[in-house]
């Protein structure tokens, strides 16, 4: 019963967030150079998709038969993927906070290293090498291939 109620309220929260997201997306100004999709096209589709998934989650919670009584271990197993997802969200939040300060390349390397370590990669030289190559590689890709200037970070500004 608790899982059904949690799914319903999570779906309801997703619908509310989707409505707010969609309202912000439709306010994105149109450019004279925009294509058929426009600058607001993808954000609007994401808002609709999130709202639809929230409604489906609500409907699923209403139609599901009551679950058998769970013991603490079974409940912990059910919650483990959600706790792992929250951990990844925390890593991403740290990336967003660190990127303006340490710069894109360093923050991207740290993001790759933290995500890989969180997924179970063994710390060591290989992980450090992957992080350095990823930070430099993505910086080269965006700055030199795509021509998108990436912030150097306030820590390294002169």
């Amino acid at each position: 019963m608790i899982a059904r109620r949690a799914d319903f309220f999570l779906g309801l929260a997703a619908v509310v967030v989707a409505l707010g997201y969609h309202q912000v997306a439709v306010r994105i100004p149109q450019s004279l150079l925009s294509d058929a999709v426009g600058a607001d096209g993808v954000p609007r589709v994401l808002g609709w998709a999130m709202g639809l998934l929230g409604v489906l989650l609500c409907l699923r919670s209403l139609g599901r038969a009551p679950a058998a009584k769970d013991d603490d271990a079974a409940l912990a197993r059910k919650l483990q993927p959600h706790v792992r997802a929250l951990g990844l969200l925390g890593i991403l939040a740290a990336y967003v906070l660190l990127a303006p300060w340490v710069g894109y390349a360093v923050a991207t390397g740290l993001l790759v290293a933290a995500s890989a370590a969180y997924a179970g990669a063994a710390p060591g030289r290989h992980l450090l090498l992957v992080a350095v190559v990823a930070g430099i590689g993505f910086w080269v890709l965006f700055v030199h291939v795509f021509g998108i200037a990436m912030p150097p970070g306030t820590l390294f500004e002169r």
Side-chain angles (χ1 to χ4, degrees):
M1 183 67 173
I2 292 173
R4 290 177 59 193
R5 195 174 341 168
D7 283 350
F8 179 79
F9 286 113
L10 181 62
L12 192 61
V15 169
V16 169
V17 169
L19 286 172
Y21 184 82
H22 188 269
Q23 288 301 315
V24 171
V26 297
R27 292 188 185 132
I28 295 175
Q30 292 295 323
S31 168
L32 295 175
L33 302 174
S34 67
D35 57 4
V37 175
D40 63 336
V42 172
R44 287 177 47 196
V45 169
L46 289 175
W48 280 105
M50 185 175 184
L52 177 64
L53 291 174
V55 168
L56 290 175
L57 187 58
C58 288
L59 292 175
R60 187 184 84 165
S61 73
L62 295 175
R64 190 184 322 163
K69 186 176 181 180
D70 292 328
D71 60 346
D72 290 340
L75 184 59
R77 281 192 305 275
K78 286 181 181 180
L79 291 177
Q80 185 179 12
H82 303 295
V83 172
R84 300 260 323 147
L86 284 174
L88 284 174
L89 186 62
I91 292 171
L92 186 59
Y95 170 78
V96 169
L97 293 173
L98 283 175
W101 188 61
V102 298
Y104 176 77
V106 174
T108 301
L110 290 172
L111 172 69
V112 168
S115 299
Y118 190 71
R125 287 184 288 191
H126 295 304
L127 183 60
L128 179 64
L129 179 64
V130 167
V132 169
V133 168
I136 294 170
F138 279 112
W139 181 80
V140 167
L141 179 71
F142 279 94
V143 172
H144 294 291
V145 176
F146 296 145
I148 301 171
M150 292 286 123
T154 57
L155 185 64
F156 301 112
E157 286 181 350
R158 291 188 172 149

